[in-house]
Amino acid sequence: MTEHTQVKMAEMKYDKDRPKAKHELKVEDISLRDGHQSLFATRGRTEDMIPVAERMDEIGFWAVEVWGGATFDAMHRFLGEDPWERLRTLKRYFKKTPFSMLLRGQNLVGYRNYADDVAKLFVKKTVDNGMEVFRTFDALNDYRNFETVVPVIKECGAHFQGCICYTLTEPRIGGDVYTLEYYIQKAKDLEAMGADSICVKDMAGLLAPYDAYKLIKALKDNVKPLIHLHSHFTSGMSPMSHFKAIEAGVDIIDTCLTPYAYRTSHAALEPFVMSLLGTNRDTGFDINALADINEILEKQIMPKYKHLLDNTKVSGIDINVLLHQTPGGMLSNLVNQLRDMDALDKMDDVLKELPRVRKELGQIPLVTPTSQIVGIQTVNNVLFDTPEERYKMVTAQVKDLCYGLYGKTSVPIDPEVQKKALKGYERGEKPITCRPAQVLEPELEKAKQEIGDLAVDDEDLILYALFPVTGKKFLMQKYGKEQVPESLKPITLEDVAKQDALIEKAKKGELVEKTRLEDIPEKSEYARTFNVFVEGDYFEVGVDEVGGAPVITYAAPAAAPAPVAAPAAPVVQAAPAQPAAPAPKPAPAAKETPAPAESAGTPVKAPMPGMVIKYEKNEGDAVNEGETVVVIEAMKMENALPAPTSGVIKSINYKSGDSVAKGEVLAVIE
């Protein structure tokens, strides 16, 4: 802590030995999970949590959220980290404070419902690795998706926190769907399931202050478990909503440490500590200790992630969320997807189409994975629909939703949309009404046979079962069978300083004078381009597998950008929508100079950037027009690409796990 800070604290005559409050407010810190997930795309590394872990353990939090949500996916996919190892590592530093995770019900930490055998083993191994509080939610508030995981949570002696996903169809609580009575009934359902606490999960920051008071008061009057409030800051209302909830008697609130707070994250903890000081809801927290933690985060940790923060907006509040109800993470995903497809000008059309798609798909809450399901389908509708036909490209997840694999929607799905989505659906064209996992075959044994000896324990097996493509790639890297890409490795403060110096030189035009143009390597046809945004500045970075140095173009505010050569120094890392996989290897000579499409066959092109999940056809297979040739993943949603014509598969140009750009030829039919 700086001398100035110490003096200010002394002037305030802060008394850390103050009496304990009669109705002390409990606080869960979510900086180490939802904080960095909301602000910098879940890229927070374990090594950057360790410097503050022991100090956080002394604060007195009810729990700290360190796992679940998108962390499991992002860690193995983008950071080259083993998610299980994070739990074990942090447990060595947190001796007093319980660990909490976000569990997506039968979705676990993925984007679909998994079979019961996977769900049971996942919960058991999570407890074995140190988890104590399971914040469990279902995107549709269909608690049949809790029936498998909750008994295991209870049997393992862990805390079951049941969630109610908060959403609206009107500007304020009410309307004909999400009423006060709806939320009270959901709370009673959770109580009947044995919930130790009940969380109102407001993922988009839609909860208004007076609605918060009304809702929390009603829940306290109708159910016995502890009531917990989770509300994102996105709209700017959450601090006020938290305060009204405190007045209504809420037991626990979620907050973040200040460096990880606000914007699309959560309200900051420290203002609550000081505002409640000396009241009957006093947290009892030491503000001096919190200031020390914040200083470490500000100076030692956050500089490593500043290139991932959205600094393009002046305001930290997005009032538009009250109009389109799109959570911050989902909104940034849509922007990235449209940018990668050279269609960012369609964003307004997407936001107009989104409420319509949401309504047609059953007025579902927008939270993972339903936010991605609605969001990506909306993008597909805007980009690929015609005046004569809507839903021309339906994602696999929308088909699953219409079939009932995610559960029961609050209102029926539009029958015409449902019929179109289920036409030719592999499981059948008649939707199910039973618990979704009842129609799923056990998955563990099949996964064990597929991954073989590469999975050395149950944790490896679960990772593969949840994420077969990226999980296998991670295990190959983990056990030294593949090299870990440079893009997955962490950067240091020294790297940050070098990057800052490089950017300063680029701004001043000094790089041109010190680099000879003849030193620039020839750009191959496999070069990939990334947009990089740093503190309001925009750079275009070309990355080429053949070993040449990156090429940086600086876009000056008032002048056209001029290409300059960059020296071999660390460059700012972008956060692409999909993992930056190596560019495809050069094809055989016969394929390097293909004949015109008319004579070479009909190409199956990627309509969007993404990752190849699997090919449904092999070279030499016959295919009928409309049959699926290849499945690609875009923004975690799967798109089956049909054959544009009948014929024989002449060539397949990629393999499972490869990243592809929009327009790349995935296969050729002749």
Side-chain angles (χ1 to χ4, degrees):
M1 185 186 302
T2 64
E3 183 178 352
H4 174 73
T5 305
Q6 290 175 328
V7 170
K8 293 302 290 182
M9 293 301 176
E11 289 176 356
M12 289 164 51
K13 297 181 180 179
Y14 175 77
D15 181 13
K16 66 180 181 180
D17 296 321
R18 61 195 186 274
K20 185 178 177 66
K22 292 181 180 179
H23 188 194
E24 184 179 76
L25 178 69
K26 298 177 177 65
V27 178
E28 178 169 335
D29 179 85
I30 56 177
S31 307
L32 303 186
R33 201 286 297 178
D34 207 0
H36 69 95
Q37 179 172 321
S38 298
L39 294 185
F40 41 96
T42 329
R43 298 305 197 269
R45 293 181 177 273
T46 305
E47 67 178 40
D48 292 326
M49 300 174 184
I50 292 173
V52 295
E54 289 181 322
R55 294 171 185 262
M56 290 178 67
D57 194 33
E58 297 296 327
I59 296 300
F61 293 117
W62 180 76
V64 287
E65 188 184 53
V66 298
W67 215 62
T71 58
F72 201 99
D73 182 11
M75 286 180 69
H76 85 273
R77 187 191 293 243
F78 298 120
L79 305 180
E81 287 193 32
D82 188 331
W84 301 101
E85 188 58 38
R86 174 172 294 181
L87 269 183
R88 294 190 287 265
T89 298
L90 291 179
K91 203 64 183 175
R92 294 198 292 268
Y93 296 90
F94 283 96
K95 305 291 187 183
K96 308 173 184 177
T97 313
F99 276 2
S100 174
M101 76 163 290
L102 183 65
L103 183 73
R104 297 168 179 163
Q106 196 88 20
N107 286 181
L108 304 179
V109 288
Y111 308 100
R112 65 173 176 86
N113 276 340
Y114 296 94
D116 287 342
D117 60 340
V118 177
K120 291 176 182 178
L121 184 61
F122 177 87
V123 172
K124 183 181 183 306
K125 298 309 297 185
T126 301
V127 174
D128 289 347
N129 281 275
M131 190 54 60
E132 292 142 294
V133 178
F134 286 79
R135 172 175 293 171
T136 310
F137 81 95
D138 178 73
L140 302 182
N141 288 329
D142 184 347
Y143 298 145
R144 295 177 302 171
N145 289 322
F146 288 6
E147 290 178 11
T148 296
V149 296
V150 168
V152 185
I153 293 171
K154 290 289 196 175
E155 288 166 11
C156 292
H159 180 109
F160 163 45
Q161 181 174 96
C163 282
I164 309 170
C165 293
Y166 183 81
T167 189
L168 298 170
T169 55
E170 305 287 335
R172 296 284 297 276
I173 196 170
D176 57 353
V177 182
Y178 299 107
T179 62
L180 187 62
E181 291 70 29
Y182 170 90
Y183 292 111
I184 292 172
Q185 185 57 54
K186 289 297 178 183
K188 289 181 177 179
D189 292 343
L190 291 171
E191 183 178 36
M193 293 187 76
D196 299 294
S197 59
I198 295 172
C199 178
V200 175
K201 181 176 170 59
D202 175 26
M203 49 279 175
L206 302 177
L207 183 61
Y210 287 105
D211 286 345
Y213 184 91
K214 182 192 305 182
L215 176 58
I216 299 302
K217 185 75 167 59
L219 296 181
K220 291 294 293 181
D221 289 344
N222 283 275
V223 294
K224 294 179 180 178
L226 297 171
I227 302 299
H228 194 146
L229 178 60
H230 168 101
S231 180
H232 282 256
F233 180 79
T234 315
S235 68
M237 292 195 297
S238 73
M240 296 182 287
S241 298
H242 278 94
F243 250 96
K244 293 302 292 183
I246 291 168
E247 290 180 2
V250 75
D251 299 289
I252 318 165
I253 64 170
D254 281 349
T255 61
C256 285
L257 297 161
T258 298
Y260 285 9
Y262 302 126
R263 288 166 286 190
T264 54
S265 182
H266 294 259
L269 165 64
E270 295 79 8
F272 285 105
V273 172
M274 297 311 298
S275 299
L276 297 172
L277 185 67
T279 71
N280 68 333
R281 302 306 312 270
D282 194 334
T283 62
F285 293 171
D286 184 347
I287 195 70
N288 293 285
L290 292 170
D292 285 341
I293 295 171
N294 283 340
E295 191 157 352
I296 294 171
L297 292 174
E298 285 282 4
K299 293 183 178 180
Q300 299 179 26
I301 308 303
M302 289 301 287
K304 299 180 185 179
Y305 301 100
K306 64 181 180 180
H307 61 287
L308 294 171
L309 295 173
D310 181 5
N311 293 312
T312 60
K313 292 185 66 176
V314 175
S315 172
I317 293 174
D318 182 8
I319 200 66
N320 289 321
V321 74
L322 300 175
L323 306 177
H324 53 64
Q325 297 196 18
T326 308
M330 174 184 169
L331 194 61
S332 60
N333 283 343
L334 294 180
V335 170
N336 287 335
Q337 180 76 351
L338 290 170
R339 182 184 291 118
D340 289 343
M341 298 178 73
D342 299 322
L344 199 52
D345 60 316
K346 301 291 187 181
M347 190 64 195
D348 286 345
D349 294 334
V350 168
L351 292 180
K352 290 177 184 176
E353 173 76 359
L354 195 144
R356 183 181 181 188
V357 172
R358 181 193 178 205
K359 184 176 181 179
E360 290 169 338
L361 295 181
Q363 209 63 276
I364 52 182
L366 297 180
V367 61
T368 304
T370 52
S371 56
Q372 286 92 333
I373 292 173
V374 172
I376 300 308
Q377 186 58 55
T378 300
V379 170
N380 286 358
N381 285 6
V382 169
L383 296 184
F384 305 120
D385 283 0
T386 64
E388 297 77 28
E389 183 181 4
R390 296 184 68 237
Y391 289 87
K392 287 196 69 173
M393 181 179 289
V394 180
T395 69
Q397 283 70 26
V398 166
K399 295 177 182 179
D400 290 346
L401 177 73
C402 290
Y403 185 68
L405 278 187
Y406 285 93
K408 183 180 179 181
T409 56
S410 298
V411 298
I413 295 173
D414 182 285
E416 291 302 315
V417 172
Q418 190 170 40
K419 182 179 179 181
K420 183 175 180 63
L422 294 181
K423 184 178 181 180
Y425 182 67
E426 59 184 9
R427 292 179 178 272
E429 298 187 359
K430 183 179 179 181
I432 60 172
T433 57
C434 62
R435 180 177 72 92
Q438 285 181 221
V439 303
L440 300 179
E441 295 293 328
E443 299 181 51
L444 281 178
E445 193 56 42
K446 179 183 177 184
K448 192 178 297 184
Q449 293 175 2
E450 290 174 348
I451 196 63
D453 294 339
L454 188 57
V456 302
D457 54 27
D458 284 342
E459 284 84 353
D460 286 347
L461 177 63
I462 291 169
L463 194 152
Y464 173 75
L466 298 181
F467 301 99
V469 177
T470 57
K472 182 178 180 179
K473 181 174 290 193
F474 169 76
L475 292 176
M476 295 286 284
Q477 296 164 358
K478 176 181 177 181
Y479 295 115
K481 298 183 183 298
E482 282 187 8
Q483 189 173 359
V484 178
E486 288 297 317
S487 61
L488 300 188
K489 296 179 180 178
I491 62 173
T492 65
L493 288 177
E494 290 74 18
D495 293 331
V496 173
K498 290 177 182 178
Q499 292 168 2
D500 290 344
L502 180 63
I503 292 168
E504 270 313 302
K505 288 182 179 180
K507 289 179 178 179
K508 296 175 181 177
E510 295 177 359
L511 295 179
V512 176
E513 299 174 351
K514 297 182 180 181
T515 306
R516 297 178 302 171
L517 292 178
E518 57 266 27
D519 290 338
I520 300 177
E522 182 178 353
K523 184 177 180 181
S524 83
E525 61 182 301
Y526 302 111
R528 300 180 67 201
T529 301
F530 296 99
N531 293 327
V532 181
F533 300 88
V534 184
E535 297 181 348
D537 295 312
Y538 160 65
F539 299 88
E540 189 178 273
V541 180
V543 180
D544 201 333
E545 185 194 22
V546 293
V551 176
I552 296 179
T553 301
Y554 171 61
V564 294
V571 296
V572 179
Q573 296 290 326
Q578 297 295 336
K585 295 180 180 179
K591 296 181 182 178
E592 290 179 0
T593 54
E598 290 79 10
S599 59
T602 303
V604 179
K605 295 183 178 181
M608 60 192 71
M611 180 177 67
V612 175
I613 297 297
K614 60 181 177 180
Y615 280 88
E616 296 288 1
K617 299 292 181 179
N618 299 314
E619 287 189 8
D621 285 354
V623 61
N624 295 319
E625 181 179 348
E627 279 190 291
T628 298
V629 175
V630 58
V631 179
I632 67 170
E633 177 195 272
M635 304 307 293
K636 317 272 175 59
M637 299 293 108
E638 295 180 9
N639 295 271
L641 305 186
T645 185
S646 298
V648 175
I649 303 294
K650 176 184 178 183
S651 65
I652 287 177
N653 300 334
Y654 294 89
K655 64 181 185 300
S656 177
D658 284 346
S659 293
V660 295
K662 176 187 175 185
E664 293 198 36
V665 178
L666 307 178
V668 176
I669 301 172
E670 69 171 10

